[in-house]
Amino acid sequence: MASNATEYIQHHLTFWQSSPGGGFWSLNIDTFSVSLVLGFIFAGVFAKVARSASLENPGRLQLFIETVVEMVDTQVRDVFHGKSKVIAPLALTIFCWIFLMNFMDLLPVDLIPMIAQWVGYTFFGADPAHVYFRVVPSADVNATFAMSLSVLICIIGFSIGAKGVGGWGKELLTAPFHATNPILAAILAPINFAFQLVELGAKGISLSLRLFGNMYAGELIFILIALLPWGAQWLLGAPWAIFHILVITLQAFVFMMLTIVYLSLAVEAH
Amino acid sequence: MEFNATLLGQAITFAILVWFTMKFVWPPLTNMMDERAKRIADGLAAAERGKQDLEAAEKRVADELRKAREQSTEIVLSAEKRANQIVEEAKETARAEGARLVADAKSEIEQEVLRAKEALRQQVSALAVAGAEKILRREIDSAKHADLLASIKAEL
């Protein structure tokens, strides 16, 4: 395997795309389907527990889910002082969905790609070398950017909702540099606007790239560990996987926390 | 790293998930948890109240017990006193009765003695008269010496 290590790694880092040539309108079927299944699992389990939630004697699953919900609720209450029906469910969805997507990293790195190859070869007669399946959706920059852009839209929406279009527009032009002199204010307006744009863009990019970078790096290290002789893999694989439990939870938590913080900044006046 | 339609697909999925969570997951769970928290708080408050009630009741019971004990001691004391009194009274009555009986007996005896003396006197005087009659039959007329006889009788 070491002889074609490059090929192996490249194979692992190639998406299953709906149109082989790529281009903007092709879809990463692996990312999309895995995240969709995980989304269904999250929504299904939580909705089922929520519907049959028992006041008197909650089961273990219910208690676990209550713990998660309570954790999210506490964070939202601590940070976000406005009133919003959206932000807490949004934070819960972000936390759980990202956690589940990250969790795919802990599956054996070859397991699902190999199943995909077997299925593709057996049922569709595909060449196994050209069956690609990347199982960690959050290691796909499309997935992380989709979420951060959605959060960015929420930030803008919350800003407008809290301050009105005029108030938000005014803030874009007058913060962070204030001036009482109208001429000076006119000079500062484009500078402020540039600052605000950079700030908004930085929020979105930092959110998505942090998650993407962590997950991509984690996946890559799992792939590299898979190149070791099989008897030695556990030496590095086990510690890295155990450490990665922390990483995936932390990344999900960080994404959620930053979303809450950004949204609370959006509704507060500068 | 390239951007493609996955971005849009993921964003739509995300929006649907958030909407779903907002609609079906978050409200029932948080409502239920709030309700439970309230119930627990109520239960704790009720337990606290019960404890206070119990303490008050225990205090009242102790009070009642103490009072009852005092009362019973008092009753026993007064009963003893009354018993002593009754005994004293009975003794007194018995003593008086005895004294009265003795006095009765004494007066009876005296009367008997008097009666016996009287009878004895009669008999002695009769005997003396009879003896004197026999001795003096011849020389003394009893009618003549009646006053003498009477004086003798008086001296007996």
Side-chain angles (χ1 to χ4, degrees), chain A residues 13-227:
Chain A
L13 293 182
T14 308
F15 289 104
W16 175 17
Q17 293 194 313
S18 57
S19 54
F24 184 78
W25 288 111
S26 74
L27 188 68
N28 294 345
I29 297 170
D30 39 13
T31 298
F32 193 68
S33 59
V34 169
S35 59
L36 201 63
V37 167
L38 294 174
F40 274 128
I41 291 173
F42 155 68
V45 170
F46 272 62
K48 188 184 166 294
V49 169
R51 190 185 303 167
S52 60
S54 156
L55 184 66
E56 302 290 343
N57 46 354
R60 284 179 164 202
L61 180 66
Q62 191 188 329
L63 283 176
F64 170 72
I65 281 169
E66 279 175 19
T67 313
V68 176
V69 169
E70 193 145 22
M71 185 273 288
V72 174
D73 197 35
T74 314
Q75 301 295 350
V76 171
R77 271 175 214 278
D78 284 352
V79 177
F80 188 80
H81 299 299
K83 278 211 162 205
S84 169
K85 279 194 159 84
V86 188
I87 180 157
L90 175 76
L92 178 69
T93 311
I94 287 175
F95 180 71
C96 294
W97 203 28
I98 291 182
F99 177 81
L100 287 173
M101 294 199 287
N102 293 352
F103 185 80
M104 293 297 105
D105 224 355
L106 293 178
L107 296 177
V109 75
D110 274 324
L111 178 67
I112 293 188
M114 276 182 168
I115 292 173
Q117 281 177 343
W118 180 79
V119 169
Y121 175 71
T122 315
F123 296 106
F124 303 103
D127 177 7
H130 289 100
V131 174
Y132 305 104
F133 204 98
R134 283 189 68 177
V135 80
V136 189
S138 48
D140 180 355
V141 77
N142 285 298
T144 62
F145 257 100
M147 291 184 98
S148 72
L149 284 179
S150 305
V151 170
L152 211 59
I153 290 169
C154 284
I155 292 174
I156 295 169
F158 271 60
S159 296
I160 292 174
K163 301 159 191 164
V165 181
W168 185 58
K170 191 174 163 235
E171 192 181 286
L172 282 182
L173 298 177
T174 57
F177 300 116
H178 295 280
T180 40
N181 185 339
I183 299 165
L184 203 59
I187 295 168
L188 284 176
I191 301 170
N192 281 333
F193 187 65
F195 261 96
Q196 294 276 358
L197 279 192
V198 168
E199 195 184 323
L200 269 179
K203 280 174 183 170
I205 290 171
S206 73
L207 266 184
S208 58
L209 283 191
R210 178 183 303 106
L211 178 61
F212 164 73
N214 273 284
M215 289 305 114
Y216 188 81
E219 191 190 22
L220 203 61
I221 289 175
F222 276 120
I223 294 169
L224 290 176
I225 289 168
L227 290 171

Side-chain angles (χ1 to χ4, degrees), chain B residues 59-72:
Chain B
K59 209 172 146 210
R60 217 165 42 235
V61 166
D63 267 11
E64 293 290 326
L65 269 177
R66 195 174 44 73
K67 242 183 259 170
R69 211 170 289 130
E70 275 170 11
Q71 233 166 26
S72 69

